[in-house]
Amino acid sequence: MDDEKVDVLGDIMKDLSIYCITPSYTIKEALAQIEENKNRAVLVVDDLGRVSGLLSQGDIIRALASGANLFASVGQFSSPSFMYLKSRDLEKAYQLAKTRGMTIFPVLDDDFKLIDVLTLFDVFDYVEEKMRGGKDD
């Protein structure tokens, strides 16, 4: 990762940085980030630290199929329209996974800055806890 990317992502908590890229990342770098986070997508973060889009494996496949190469920047291929949560609402994440097939659930503040990321693994843990009769989140 080059210095610019480290500086841009520096405000984001270290454990959340595996879900984030900047628009200047290449498709190849984005794929490496997706492989690291194991959630089939990454969040695109602008130079002010705001989440400005989402890039999925499907977006990358469509870009490559249309002639892009692995070294093209992802800025033109990410989706600026994406679903997000305003709080760590595991029930809502479960419903979105079930009805929309989402695998990653960014939790954003009012300025679109990343607060947290819920994953399918979090949703599975939540469902298992509910099935055991545990407390409701």
Side-chain angles (χ1 to χ4, degrees):
M1 195 180 323
D2 65 65
D3 290 343
E4 177 188 15
K5 293 173 188 163
V6 171
D7 290 342
V8 170
L9 301 178
D11 306 26
I12 297 171
M13 294 171 26
K14 184 175 178 173
D15 61 333
L16 297 180
S17 68
I18 66 169
Y19 303 103
C20 300
I21 62 171
T22 66
S24 64
Y25 269 54
T26 65
I27 289 175
K28 185 176 180 180
E29 291 170 317
L31 285 168
Q33 200 76 350
I34 289 170
E35 176 65 25
E36 183 178 352
N37 77 35
K38 306 205 182 325
N39 283 283
R40 300 189 310 184
V42 285
L43 303 168
V44 180
V45 179
D46 68 18
D47 50 348
L48 297 175
R50 296 177 303 215
V51 178
S52 60
L54 182 128
L55 182 74
S56 69
Q57 285 178 328
D59 295 326
I60 292 172
I61 290 168
R62 283 185 288 281
L64 293 172
S66 71
N69 69 52
L70 287 174
F71 300 100
S73 76
V74 299
Q76 61 190 320
F77 304 113
S78 65
S79 175
S81 176
F82 60 96
M83 300 197 77
Y84 63 94
L85 302 172
K86 298 289 279 171
S87 65
R88 191 177 169 82
D89 185 340
L90 286 161
E91 180 62 31
K92 177 100 172 172
Y94 166 69
Q95 293 300 325
L96 289 169
K98 183 177 165 184
T99 60
R100 295 186 155 262
M102 289 177 61
T103 62
I104 187 170
F105 312 88
V107 181
L108 307 180
D109 69 11
D110 291 336
D111 296 320
F112 274 75
K113 293 201 176 184
L114 189 62
I115 300 168
D116 198 359
V117 172
L118 300 177
T119 68
L120 272 182
F121 301 111
D122 296 316
V123 172
F124 293 155
D125 289 344
Y126 168 73
V127 170
E128 287 173 357
E129 182 66 26
K130 283 187 74 134
M131 289 174 65
R132 286 191 300 266
K135 68 175 184 155
D136 205 342
D137 282 336

Coordinates of all heavy atoms in Angstrom, one line a residue, residues 64-127:
L64 N -13.9 -6.2 -15.8 CA -13.0 -7.0 -16.5 C -13.7 -7.5 -17.8 O -13.1 -7.5 -18.9 CB -12.5 -8.2 -15.7 CG -11.6 -7.8 -14.5 CD1 -11.3 -9.0 -13.7 CD2 -10.3 -7.1 -15.0
A65 N -14.9 -7.9 -17.7 CA -15.7 -8.4 -18.9 C -15.9 -7.3 -19.9 O -16.0 -7.6 -21.1 CB -17.0 -9.0 -18.5
S66 N -15.9 -6.0 -19.5 CA -16.1 -4.9 -20.4 C -14.7 -4.4 -21.0 O -14.7 -3.4 -21.7 CB -16.9 -3.8 -19.8 OG -16.1 -3.2 -18.8
G67 N -13.6 -5.1 -20.6 CA -12.3 -4.7 -21.2 C -11.3 -4.0 -20.3 O -10.2 -3.7 -20.7
A68 N -11.7 -3.8 -19.0 CA -10.8 -3.2 -18.1 C -9.7 -4.2 -17.8 O -9.9 -5.4 -17.9 CB -11.5 -2.8 -16.8
N69 N -8.5 -3.6 -17.4 CA -7.4 -4.5 -17.0 C -7.2 -4.5 -15.5 O -7.8 -3.6 -14.8 CB -6.1 -4.3 -17.8 CG -5.5 -3.0 -17.4 OD1 -5.2 -2.7 -16.3 ND2 -5.2 -2.1 -18.4
L70 N -6.4 -5.4 -15.0 CA -6.2 -5.5 -13.5 C -5.6 -4.2 -12.9 O -5.6 -4.0 -11.7 CB -5.3 -6.7 -13.2 CG -6.0 -8.0 -13.3 CD1 -4.9 -9.1 -13.1 CD2 -7.1 -8.1 -12.4
F71 N -5.0 -3.3 -13.8 CA -4.3 -2.2 -13.3 C -5.1 -0.9 -13.4 O -4.6 0.2 -13.2 CB -2.9 -2.0 -13.9 CG -2.1 -3.3 -13.6 CD1 -1.9 -4.3 -14.5 CD2 -1.5 -3.4 -12.3 CE1 -1.2 -5.4 -14.2 CE2 -0.8 -4.5 -12.0 CZ -0.6 -5.6 -12.9
A72 N -6.4 -1.0 -13.9 CA -7.3 0.1 -13.9 C -7.7 0.5 -12.5 O -7.8 -0.3 -11.6 CB -8.5 -0.3 -14.7
S73 N -7.8 1.8 -12.3 CA -8.3 2.3 -11.0 C -9.8 1.9 -10.8 O -10.5 2.0 -11.7 CB -8.0 3.7 -10.8 OG -8.9 4.5 -11.4
V74 N -10.1 1.7 -9.5 CA -11.5 1.2 -9.2 C -12.5 2.3 -9.1 O -13.7 2.1 -9.1 CB -11.5 0.4 -7.9 CG1 -10.6 -0.8 -8.0 CG2 -11.1 1.3 -6.7
G75 N -12.0 3.6 -9.1 CA -12.9 4.7 -8.9 C -14.1 4.7 -9.9 O -15.2 5.0 -9.6
Q76 N -13.8 4.3 -11.1 CA -14.9 4.3 -12.2 C -15.8 3.1 -12.1 O -16.8 3.1 -12.8 CB -14.2 4.5 -13.5 CG -13.3 3.3 -13.9 CD -12.5 3.6 -15.1 OE1 -13.0 4.1 -16.1 NE2 -11.3 3.2 -15.1
F77 N -15.5 2.1 -11.4 CA -16.2 0.9 -11.3 C -17.0 0.7 -10.0 O -17.9 -0.2 -10.0 CB -15.3 -0.3 -11.5 CG -14.5 -0.2 -12.8 CD1 -13.1 -0.1 -12.7 CD2 -15.1 -0.3 -14.0 CE1 -12.4 0.0 -13.9 CE2 -14.4 -0.2 -15.2 CZ -13.0 0.0 -15.1
S78 N -16.7 1.5 -9.0 CA -17.4 1.3 -7.7 C -18.8 1.9 -7.8 O -19.1 2.7 -8.6 CB -16.7 1.9 -6.6 OG -16.6 3.3 -6.7
S79 N -19.7 1.4 -7.0 CA -21.1 1.8 -7.0 C -21.3 2.9 -5.9 O -21.1 2.6 -4.7 CB -22.0 0.6 -6.7 OG -23.3 1.1 -6.6
P80 N -21.7 4.1 -6.3 CA -21.9 5.2 -5.3 C -23.2 5.0 -4.6 O -23.5 5.6 -3.6 CB -21.9 6.4 -6.2 CG -22.3 6.0 -7.5 CD -21.8 4.6 -7.7
S81 N -24.0 4.1 -5.1 CA -25.3 3.8 -4.4 C -25.2 2.5 -3.7 O -25.0 1.4 -4.3 CB -26.4 3.7 -5.5 OG -27.6 3.4 -4.9
F82 N -25.3 2.5 -2.4 CA -25.1 1.3 -1.6 C -25.9 1.4 -0.3 O -26.3 2.5 0.1 CB -23.6 1.0 -1.2 CG -23.0 2.1 -0.5 CD1 -22.9 2.0 0.9 CD2 -22.5 3.3 -1.1 CE1 -22.4 3.1 1.7 CE2 -21.9 4.3 -0.4 CZ -21.8 4.2 1.0
M83 N -26.3 0.3 0.3 CA -27.0 0.3 1.5 C -26.1 0.3 2.7 O -25.0 -0.3 2.6 CB -27.9 -0.9 1.6 CG -28.9 -0.9 0.4 SD -30.3 -2.0 0.7 CE -31.2 -1.1 1.8
Y84 N -26.5 1.0 3.8 CA -25.7 1.0 5.0 C -26.6 1.1 6.2 O -27.8 1.4 6.1 CB -24.7 2.2 4.9 CG -25.4 3.6 4.9 CD1 -25.6 4.3 6.0 CD2 -25.8 4.1 3.7 CE1 -26.3 5.5 6.0 CE2 -26.5 5.3 3.6 CZ -26.7 6.0 4.8 OH -27.3 7.2 4.7
L85 N -26.0 0.9 7.3 CA -26.7 1.0 8.6 C -26.2 2.3 9.4 O -25.1 2.7 9.2 CB -26.4 -0.2 9.5 CG -26.8 -1.6 8.8 CD1 -26.3 -2.7 9.7 CD2 -28.3 -1.7 8.6
K86 N -27.1 2.8 10.2 CA -26.7 3.9 11.1 C -26.3 3.5 12.5 O -25.8 4.3 13.3 CB -27.9 4.9 11.2 CG -28.4 5.5 9.9 CD -27.4 6.5 9.3 CE -27.6 7.8 10.0 NZ -26.6 8.8 9.7
S87 N -26.5 2.2 12.8 CA -26.0 1.6 14.1 C -25.8 0.2 13.9 O -26.1 -0.4 12.8 CB -27.1 1.8 15.1 OG -28.3 1.1 14.8
R88 N -25.2 -0.4 14.9 CA -24.9 -1.9 14.8 C -26.1 -2.7 15.1 O -26.3 -3.4 16.1 CB -23.8 -2.2 15.9 CG -23.2 -3.5 15.8 CD -22.1 -3.7 16.8 NE -21.7 -5.1 16.9 CZ -20.8 -5.7 16.0 NH1 -20.3 -4.9 15.1 NH2 -20.5 -6.9 16.1
D89 N -27.0 -2.7 14.1 CA -28.3 -3.3 14.2 C -28.2 -4.7 13.5 O -28.4 -4.8 12.3 CB -29.4 -2.4 13.5 CG -30.8 -3.0 13.7 OD1 -31.0 -4.2 13.9 OD2 -31.7 -2.1 13.5
L90 N -28.0 -5.7 14.3 CA -27.8 -7.1 13.7 C -29.1 -7.6 13.1 O -29.0 -8.4 12.1 CB -27.2 -8.0 14.7 CG -25.7 -7.7 15.0 CD1 -25.3 -8.3 16.3 CD2 -24.9 -8.3 13.8
E91 N -30.2 -7.3 13.7 CA -31.5 -7.7 13.1 C -31.7 -7.1 11.7 O -32.1 -7.8 10.8 CB -32.7 -7.4 14.0 CG -34.0 -7.8 13.5 CD -34.2 -9.3 13.3 OE1 -33.6 -10.1 14.1 OE2 -34.9 -9.7 12.4
K92 N -31.4 -5.9 11.5 CA -31.5 -5.2 10.2 C -30.5 -5.8 9.3 O -30.9 -6.1 8.1 CB -31.3 -3.7 10.4 CG -31.3 -3.0 9.1 CD -32.6 -2.3 8.9 CE -32.5 -1.4 7.7 NZ -33.8 -0.8 7.4
A93 N -29.3 -6.1 9.7 CA -28.3 -6.7 8.9 C -28.8 -8.1 8.4 O -28.6 -8.5 7.3 CB -27.0 -6.8 9.6
Y94 N -29.4 -8.9 9.3 CA -29.9 -10.2 9.0 C -31.0 -10.1 7.9 O -31.0 -10.8 6.9 CB -30.5 -10.8 10.3 CG -31.4 -12.0 10.0 CD1 -30.8 -13.2 9.5 CD2 -32.7 -12.0 10.2 CE1 -31.6 -14.3 9.2 CE2 -33.5 -13.0 9.9 CZ -33.0 -14.2 9.4 OH -33.8 -15.3 9.1
Q95 N -31.9 -9.1 8.1 CA -33.0 -8.9 7.1 C -32.4 -8.5 5.7 O -32.8 -9.0 4.7 CB -34.0 -7.9 7.6 CG -34.8 -8.3 8.8 CD -35.6 -9.5 8.5 OE1 -36.1 -9.8 7.4 NE2 -35.7 -10.4 9.5
L96 N -31.3 -7.7 5.7 CA -30.7 -7.3 4.4 C -30.0 -8.5 3.8 O -30.0 -8.6 2.6 CB -29.8 -6.1 4.7 CG -30.4 -4.8 5.0 CD1 -29.4 -3.8 5.4 CD2 -31.2 -4.3 3.8
A97 N -29.4 -9.3 4.6 CA -28.7 -10.5 4.1 C -29.7 -11.4 3.4 O -29.5 -12.0 2.3 CB -27.9 -11.2 5.2
K98 N -30.8 -11.6 4.1 CA -31.8 -12.5 3.7 C -32.6 -12.0 2.5 O -32.8 -12.8 1.5 CB -32.8 -12.7 4.9 CG -33.9 -13.7 4.6 CD -34.8 -13.8 5.9 CE -36.1 -14.5 5.6 NZ -36.9 -14.6 6.7
T99 N -32.9 -10.8 2.4 CA -33.7 -10.3 1.3 C -32.9 -9.7 0.1 O -33.4 -9.7 -1.0 CB -34.7 -9.2 1.8 OG1 -33.9 -8.1 2.3 CG2 -35.7 -9.7 2.8
R100 N -31.7 -9.2 0.4 CA -30.9 -8.6 -0.7 C -29.6 -9.3 -1.0 O -28.9 -8.8 -1.8 CB -30.7 -7.1 -0.3 CG -32.0 -6.3 -0.3 CD -31.7 -4.9 -0.1 NE -32.7 -4.0 -0.5 CZ -32.7 -3.4 -1.7 NH1 -31.8 -3.6 -2.6 NH2 -33.6 -2.6 -2.0
G101 N -29.3 -10.3 -0.2 CA -28.0 -11.0 -0.4 C -26.8 -10.3 0.0 O -25.7 -10.6 -0.5
M102 N -26.9 -9.3 0.8 CA -25.7 -8.5 1.2 C -24.8 -9.4 2.1 O -25.2 -10.2 2.8 CB -26.2 -7.3 2.0 CG -26.8 -6.2 1.1 SD -27.4 -4.8 2.1 CE -25.9 -4.1 2.8
T103 N -23.5 -9.1 1.9 CA -22.5 -9.8 2.7 C -21.7 -8.9 3.6 O -21.0 -9.4 4.5 CB -21.6 -10.6 1.8 OG1 -20.9 -9.6 1.0 CG2 -22.3 -11.6 0.9
I104 N -21.8 -7.6 3.4 CA -21.0 -6.6 4.2 C -22.0 -5.5 4.4 O -22.7 -5.0 3.6 CB -19.7 -6.2 3.4 CG1 -18.9 -5.3 4.3 CG2 -20.1 -5.5 2.1 CD1 -17.5 -5.0 3.7
F105 N -21.9 -5.0 5.7 CA -22.9 -4.0 6.2 C -22.1 -2.8 6.8 O -21.8 -2.9 8.0 CB -23.9 -4.6 7.2 CG -24.5 -5.9 6.7 CD1 -23.8 -7.1 6.9 CD2 -25.6 -5.9 5.9 CE1 -24.3 -8.3 6.5 CE2 -26.2 -7.1 5.5 CZ -25.5 -8.3 5.7
P106 N -21.8 -1.8 6.1 CA -21.1 -0.7 6.7 C -22.0 0.1 7.7 O -23.2 0.3 7.4 CB -20.7 0.2 5.5 CG -21.6 -0.2 4.4 CD -22.1 -1.6 4.7
V107 N -21.5 0.5 8.8 CA -22.2 1.3 9.7 C -21.6 2.7 9.6 O -20.4 2.9 9.9 CB -22.1 0.8 11.2 CG1 -22.9 1.7 12.2 CG2 -22.6 -0.7 11.2
L108 N -22.4 3.7 9.2 CA -21.8 5.0 9.0 C -22.5 6.1 9.9 O -23.6 5.9 10.3 CB -22.1 5.4 7.5 CG -21.7 4.5 6.4 CD1 -22.1 5.0 5.0 CD2 -20.2 4.2 6.5
D109 N -21.7 7.1 10.2 CA -22.3 8.2 10.9 C -22.9 9.2 10.0 O -23.0 9.0 8.8 CB -21.2 8.9 11.8 CG -20.1 9.7 11.1 OD1 -20.3 9.9 9.8 OD2 -19.1 10.0 11.7
D110 N -23.4 10.3 10.5 CA -24.1 11.3 9.6 C -23.2 11.9 8.6 O -23.7 12.5 7.6 CB -24.7 12.4 10.5 CG -25.9 11.9 11.4 OD1 -26.5 10.9 11.0 OD2 -26.2 12.5 12.4
D111 N -21.9 11.9 8.7 CA -21.0 12.4 7.8 C -20.4 11.3 6.8 O -19.5 11.6 6.1 CB -19.8 13.1 8.5 CG -20.2 14.3 9.3 OD1 -21.1 15.0 8.8 OD2 -19.7 14.5 10.4
F112 N -21.1 10.2 6.9 CA -20.7 9.0 6.0 C -19.3 8.5 6.4 O -18.6 7.8 5.5 CB -20.8 9.3 4.5 CG -22.2 9.1 4.0 CD1 -23.2 10.0 4.3 CD2 -22.5 8.0 3.2 CE1 -24.5 9.8 3.8 CE2 -23.7 7.8 2.8 CZ -24.8 8.7 3.0
K113 N -18.9 8.7 7.6 CA -17.6 8.1 8.0 C -17.9 6.8 8.6 O -18.9 6.6 9.3 CB -16.9 9.0 9.0 CG -16.4 10.3 8.4 CD -15.4 11.0 9.1 CE -14.9 12.2 8.3 NZ -13.8 12.9 8.9
L114 N -17.0 5.9 8.4 CA -17.2 4.5 8.8 C -17.0 4.3 10.3 O -16.0 4.7 10.9 CB -16.1 3.6 8.1 CG -16.3 2.1 8.3 CD1 -17.6 1.6 7.7 CD2 -15.1 1.4 7.6
I115 N -18.0 3.8 11.0 CA -18.0 3.6 12.4 C -17.7 2.1 12.7 O -16.9 1.7 13.6 CB -19.3 3.9 13.1 CG1 -19.7 5.3 12.9 CG2 -19.3 3.5 14.6 CD1 -21.2 5.6 13.2
D116 N -18.3 1.2 11.9 CA -18.1 -0.2 12.1 C -18.5 -0.9 10.8 O -19.0 -0.3 9.9 CB -19.1 -0.7 13.2 CG -18.8 -2.0 13.8 OD1 -17.8 -2.6 13.4 OD2 -19.5 -2.4 14.8
V117 N -18.2 -2.2 10.8 CA -18.6 -3.0 9.6 C -19.1 -4.3 10.2 O -18.5 -5.0 11.1 CB -17.4 -3.3 8.7 CG1 -17.8 -4.4 7.7 CG2 -16.9 -2.1 8.0
L118 N -20.3 -4.7 9.8 CA -20.9 -6.0 10.2 C -20.7 -6.9 9.0 O -20.8 -6.4 7.8 CB -22.4 -5.8 10.5 CG -22.7 -4.9 11.7 CD1 -24.2 -4.9 11.8 CD2 -22.1 -5.4 12.9
T119 N -20.4 -8.1 9.2 CA -20.2 -9.1 8.2 C -21.2 -10.2 8.3 O -22.0 -10.3 9.3 CB -18.8 -9.7 8.2 OG1 -18.7 -10.5 9.4 CG2 -17.8 -8.6 8.2
L120 N -21.3 -11.1 7.3 CA -22.1 -12.3 7.4 C -21.8 -13.1 8.6 O -22.6 -13.7 9.3 CB -22.0 -13.1 6.2 CG -23.0 -12.8 5.0 CD1 -22.8 -13.8 3.9 CD2 -24.4 -12.8 5.5
F121 N -20.5 -13.1 9.0 CA -20.1 -13.9 10.2 C -20.7 -13.3 11.4 O -21.2 -14.1 12.3 CB -18.6 -13.9 10.3 CG -17.9 -14.5 9.1 CD1 -17.1 -13.7 8.3 CD2 -18.0 -15.8 8.9 CE1 -16.5 -14.2 7.2 CE2 -17.3 -16.4 7.7 CZ -16.6 -15.5 6.9
D122 N -20.9 -12.0 11.5 CA -21.6 -11.4 12.7 C -23.0 -11.7 12.6 O -23.6 -12.0 13.7 CB -21.4 -9.8 12.6 CG -20.0 -9.3 12.7 OD1 -19.3 -9.8 13.6 OD2 -19.6 -8.4 11.9
V123 N -23.6 -11.7 11.4 CA -25.0 -12.1 11.3 C -25.3 -13.6 11.7 O -26.2 -13.9 12.4 CB -25.6 -11.8 9.9 CG1 -27.0 -12.4 9.7 CG2 -25.5 -10.3 9.6
F124 N -24.4 -14.5 11.3 CA -24.5 -15.9 11.6 C -24.4 -16.0 13.1 O -25.2 -16.8 13.7 CB -23.4 -16.7 11.0 CG -23.5 -16.8 9.5 CD1 -22.4 -17.1 8.7 CD2 -24.8 -16.7 8.8 CE1 -22.5 -17.2 7.3 CE2 -24.9 -16.8 7.5 CZ -23.7 -17.1 6.7
D125 N -23.5 -15.3 13.8 CA -23.4 -15.4 15.3 C -24.6 -14.9 15.9 O -25.1 -15.5 16.9 CB -22.2 -14.6 15.8 CG -20.8 -15.2 15.4 OD1 -20.8 -16.4 15.0 OD2 -19.8 -14.4 15.5
Y126 N -25.2 -13.8 15.4 CA -26.5 -13.3 15.9 C -27.6 -14.3 15.8 O -28.3 -14.5 16.8 CB -26.8 -12.0 15.2 CG -28.2 -11.5 15.4 CD1 -28.5 -10.9 16.6 CD2 -29.1 -11.6 14.4 CE1 -29.8 -10.4 16.8 CE2 -30.4 -11.1 14.6 CZ -30.7 -10.5 15.8 OH -32.0 -10.0 16.0
V127 N -27.7 -14.9 14.6 CA -28.8 -15.9 14.4 C -28.6 -17.1 15.3 O -29.6 -17.6 15.9 CB -28.9 -16.3 12.9 CG1 -29.8 -17.5 12.7 CG2 -29.3 -15.1 12.1

